[in-house]
Amino acid sequence: MKKQEPQTLISDLGEVKLIERLTKDFSVKYQSTKLSIGDDSAVVDLKSGSTVISTDLLVDKIHFNLDYMPLMHLGYKAVVVNISDIYAMNAKPKYILVSIGVSNQFSVEHLEMLYQGIKLACKNYNIELIGGDTTANNRGLLISITAVGNAIDGKIVKRSGATIGDLLVVSGDLGAACLGLMVLERENQKVLKNPHYSPILEPYQYFIGRQLKPEAGKKIFEFLQKNQITPTSMIDLSDGLSTELSHLSRSSNVSFEVFEDKIPISAQLEKIAKKFNMNYLELVLNGGEDYELLMTIKQKDLPKIMVNPNLTVIGSVSKKTSKNQLIKSNGTRFEIVPKGWDGFDYLTKSHIQTHHNDKPSDKS
Amino acid sequence: MKKQEPQTLISDLGEVKLIERLTKDFSVKYQSTKLSIGDDSAVVDLKSGSTVISTDLLVDKIHFNLDYMPLMHLGYKAVVVNISDIYAMNAKPKYILVSIGVSNQFSVEHLEMLYQGIKLACKNYNIELIGGDTTANNRGLLISITAVGNAIDGKIVKRSGATIGDLLVVSGDLGAACLGLMVLERENQKVLKNPHYSPILEPYQYFIGRQLKPEAGKKIFEFLQKNQITPTSMIDLSDGLSTELSHLSRSSNVSFEVFEDKIPISAQLEKIAKKFNMNYLELVLNGGEDYELLMTIKQKDLPKIMVNPNLTVIGSVSKKTSKNQLIKSNGTRFEIVPKGWDGFDYLTKSHIQTHHNDKPSDKS
């Protein structure tokens, strides 16, 4: 984390003035907002449709590394990660509450950068910040965000609705965010060993961008609304395709057949993965943080889905067997074992590392 | 924190099974709950009235000390602290989302104790747990709770409604929770110095109880509803009377005159405070965590208020002057300077301490 000037001590400002300063130009966007920041609670009018609520906790050194994650990007990403869960219900995010815990290594200006990112995400996704809590932390930084969204009654999409014969569809491309993390980790290690080293990031811009500034499924949500498509089940890809498939599989009591050569990947992924001595398939199946939407749709909706270049049919829903399967182009089948991110993998490691395994894991 | 047997490693269980185990017998209590734990988000139907949302972040060694705070009490208190903010809006808490970050010093059984307390609070306050996030933490424990409540339209009470001539009313008695903390801190220091020392807690049970297992303003909220009293302003006493008065004062643009001998205190408070070589008034004005409700009411509501022995008129609302004033029994006046808890006081201290100043502070 680069030092900024000037540096204002958080303790000099105090909690009330700090919150005022950080939140001063967050705008009210909805008529339904009755009372925003500054009282014991926020008050909102949610009389239309159903209310969708989700929360996420991000901890320094576990979910992010400030060595290469700029605070503004972190603020942006923290919001995106959260509202991604709201889109995954086929709902529209409207409000967030942001709690942060900070140690004394952070100045007011640092927090202002974090809030710049939060503000930009609020602008891009039309979200209002309506509350939060700001307190001291023993070490590092933690961010807890709760997102509140609105869904049209009857249009909510759960994890549990996939039925046999449905098609499995994914947005965007997979594995890029994890590759971006690997590049950042590698270059950071080099910088830590030799402070004069200039990190080589240019050839990996797309991947680094996917890691540092992911986007949530707003466009896909709007496309589904406009085309009157209601997926039968949906989840966001935060922890990797293999793990998210296992969630859908379990909730819907079905299995999935996924065609390897249908999985959308960016042009460079396979080539760069090779440079890292790994099979790109590890990234695609187990790399997380793509924040794409994974959904099942009725076959009748296929023509509507196909016109959108950002949606790809990658497989289908079959009867519940023991495992989900990957089908290679030569027809051979492999079991897809969930190997994505688990919040507690970390606790088994002897050293602190960020979100992802950067090597193929042999954990089941 | 005492070691328990058996000890199950969190990492052995994994996130999904851990959450299943911790939340398995939390019951659904409301028809408005459309979808609870287990999907990307919770879904609730909030079509009646307005929705009140609040969030709080509690960090190990800053907000609590596990040396003497049992995990079950901590779980209970974490919920109470949060829904106290909902009652402070004159609203009924219905839902909570609980995020926890834990280091590898905690076992599954530890977390089960924490959730026992959360469950008991949910039972006592008729609250549903509908979501959360559970992840690793670098060190210690952190708890972030978001509470969602329901308010009758037009009955929401903000901090900003106090007007000149209104009466200042407080529930329960003040200063007890802070005195309880002082006792616990003192006895804990003795145990740390001499592990064979038996802490003397018996004479202080009431105060320790107020610190370890506080209650939120459910009964007062129900009394206000039943008697059709809508306070003109309200806040919960989490950070001490002096600080909360300054919040009401600023939001409502009024000042307060508080009569020292009207402030309700428990029978033993003054005597025990003396043992600690301190003026009980320090506890009453600056001690926090009582989670009582501080409100202003119209004079016409006085007869209705007076029948409730748990509500006491302690002063009145006057024109905005520079400061709030304490009026002694002999008529002399003192300025009430906000000296309660500030989330960032901690950052100016050279050592880690829990929530409160245990000495009169000279900070302004």
Side-chain angles (χ1 to χ4, degrees), chain B residues 11-74:
Chain B
S11 49
D12 283 351
L13 214 57
E15 188 172 350
V16 172
K17 283 189 184 143
L18 174 67
I19 294 167
E20 276 181 5
R21 182 154 156 187
L22 295 177
T23 62
K24 69 174 152 32
D25 39 58
F26 280 74
S27 61
V28 170
K29 299 180 174 85
Y30 297 110
Q31 282 200 329
S32 53
T33 312
K34 303 297 176 198
L35 186 65
S36 190
I37 296 163
D39 216 298
D40 295 292
S41 305
V43 181
V44 291
D45 180 339
L46 301 168
K47 290 198 188 70
S48 121
S50 282
T51 301
V52 178
I53 310 179
S54 180
T55 192
D56 263 312
L57 178 60
L58 303 180
V59 178
D60 193 4
K61 302 270 197 312
I62 292 169
H63 301 93
F64 55 87
N65 185 338
L66 292 173
D67 283 351
Y68 49 77
M69 172 59 102
L71 282 164
M72 190 174 159
H73 286 72
L74 178 61

Side-chain angles (χ1 to χ4, degrees), chain A residues 85-101:
Chain A
D85 281 321
I86 304 290
Y87 286 123
M89 305 301 295
N90 201 30
K92 179 182 156 63
K94 290 179 75 176
Y95 298 109
I96 54 168
L97 297 94
V98 176
S99 289
I100 55 171

Side-chain angles (χ1 to χ4, degrees), chain A residues 16 44 47 51 57 144 146 250, chain B residues 16 44 51 144 146 153 250:
Chain A
V16 172
V44 292
K47 289 198 190 72
T51 301
L57 178 61
S144 173
T146 299
R250 194 156 68 151
Chain B
V16 172
V44 291
T51 301
S144 173
T146 299
D153 281 333
R250 193 158 70 151

Side-chain angles (χ1 to χ4, degrees), chain A residues 18 48 57 70 75 98 126 142 151 156 173-174 205 226 242 266 275 281 286 301 307 323:
Chain A
L18 174 67
S48 120
L57 178 61
V98 176
N126 218 31
L142 66 93
I156 286 167
D173 61 80
L174 304 189
Q205 270 196 334
K226 197 178 157 195
S242 64
S266 76
K275 274 197 195 176
L281 207 53
N286 307 325
D301 287 326
V307 301
K323 298 293 171 192

Side-chain angles (χ1 to χ4, degrees), chain B residues 112-340:
Chain B
E112 283 185 319
M113 283 190 283
L114 184 77
Y115 272 75
Q116 281 292 323
I118 292 172
K119 196 167 65 180
L120 182 61
C122 284
K123 182 172 171 277
N124 289 355
Y125 290 92
N126 218 30
I127 306 276
E128 275 183 39
L129 175 71
I130 54 168
D133 193 11
T134 308
T135 189
N137 194 20
N138 300 302
R139 205 166 59 172
L141 178 67
L142 65 93
I143 308 173
S144 173
I145 298 190
T146 299
V148 179
N150 182 255
I152 301 166
D153 281 333
K155 298 284 180 190
I156 286 166
V157 179
K158 304 177 193 175
R159 295 180 181 181
S160 57
T163 52
I164 297 163
D166 288 353
L167 300 172
L168 183 67
V169 174
V170 74
S171 67
D173 61 81
L174 304 189
C178 186
L179 184 56
L181 180 67
M182 286 169 58
V183 171
L184 288 165
E185 280 280 352
R186 186 185 67 175
E187 296 301 298
N188 187 47
Q189 288 306 318
K190 289 180 185 171
V191 172
L192 291 175
K193 275 182 198 155
N194 171 13
H196 299 294
Y197 175 77
S198 286
I200 299 164
L201 302 174
E202 182 63 28
Y204 312 107
Q205 270 195 335
Y206 173 71
F207 303 98
I208 291 169
R210 289 293 302 262
Q211 170 60 223
L212 295 184
K213 193 167 176 281
E215 300 291 350
K218 181 171 186 266
K219 284 183 187 160
I220 298 299
F221 167 74
E222 287 166 355
F223 172 83
L224 295 173
Q225 298 286 302
K226 196 179 158 195
N227 292 277
Q228 297 182 297
I229 304 162
T230 304
T232 54
S233 72
M234 189 150 61
I235 196 167
D236 71 318
L237 286 169
S238 54
D239 299 343
L241 181 63
S242 64
T243 295
E244 306 300 1
L245 274 176
S246 75
H247 291 317
L248 283 187
S249 185
R250 193 158 70 151
S251 294
S252 291
N253 200 33
V254 295
S255 287
F256 294 99
E257 292 181 326
V258 179
F259 296 93
E260 180 185 339
D261 57 6
K262 302 291 182 205
I263 300 174
I265 58 169
S266 75
Q268 302 271 359
L269 186 85
E270 198 168 350
K271 203 178 90 187
I272 298 173
K274 258 186 196 150
K275 275 198 192 175
F276 280 80
N277 288 320
M278 68 183 296
N279 187 336
Y280 81 99
L281 208 53
E282 281 290 342
L283 291 171
V284 166
L285 291 177
N286 306 326
E289 299 195 286
D290 287 318
Y291 299 104
E292 299 294 346
L293 290 170
L294 179 69
M295 65 190 86
T296 54
I297 60 158
K298 289 280 162 217
Q299 288 184 15
K300 71 168 174 59
D301 287 326
L302 181 60
K304 293 192 213 167
I305 288 284
M306 284 181 72
V307 301
N308 189 326
N310 289 315
L311 289 172
T312 311
V313 178
I314 61 168
S316 60
V317 180
S318 59
K319 212 179 127 197
K320 180 76 180 167
T321 59
S322 54
K323 298 294 170 193
N324 298 318
Q325 295 193 313
L326 185 76
I327 304 174
K328 297 224 156 231
S329 53
N330 64 9
T332 54
R333 287 165 176 261
F334 290 88
E335 180 185 319
I336 303 175
V337 180
K339 286 184 192 168

